[in-house]
Amino acid sequence: MFTVTAKVWLRASDAVDIYGDDIAAYADPVDVHGVLVVPGTSVEFGENRQDGIRVELTAHFPKEWSGDLRGAKVDLPAPYGDGWDVVGNPMPYMPENTPGLWNMPVGLVRSDG
């Protein structure tokens, strides 16, 4: 199987502004080798945003990965591109249920247009 190296930007803080909105701050990127990317769905936004599209895919992280991906951003090589947001708080499968190289599916989403 063909894998890629993902550049992962982990959240550096959980700070909020005076209105309670997140202030996004990220640590220096970390390269994660051996990520298996599975294309997902594309959804057009419709009449109000004719050039808009939301794209989803799944990146399966290798067992060696142990970081917290909640709130992270991910850059992938072509043809996938940069600026993917991690969905939710990905968790690895139980070791007994994952005989292969990957144990954590990570939902990614990006909106363009």
Side-chain angles (χ1 to χ4, degrees), residues 17-111:
D17 64 17
I18 60 172
Y19 303 106
D21 296 324
D22 286 337
I23 298 173
Y26 298 93
D28 291 337
V30 176
D31 286 339
V32 180
H33 303 285
V35 175
L36 180 64
V37 179
V38 178
T41 60
S42 298
V43 178
E44 293 183 16
F45 288 130
E47 253 180 61
N48 294 336
R49 289 177 61 189
Q50 292 180 355
D51 294 328
I53 190 167
R54 175 184 166 100
V55 182
E56 300 173 1
L57 56 81
T58 303
H60 294 272
F61 274 52
K63 290 181 177 178
E64 292 82 24
W65 175 259
S66 62
D68 181 3
L69 290 171
R70 183 181 20 213
K73 292 193 176 292
V74 177
D75 293 344
L76 298 170
Y80 308 107
D82 298 340
W84 294 91
D85 293 317
V86 171
V87 177
N89 184 18
M91 293 291 181
Y93 291 127
M94 295 184 323
E96 301 81 17
N97 294 334
T98 52
L101 300 175
W102 304 276
N103 71 338
M104 186 166 54
V106 178
L108 301 175
V109 65
R110 185 175 74 192
S111 297

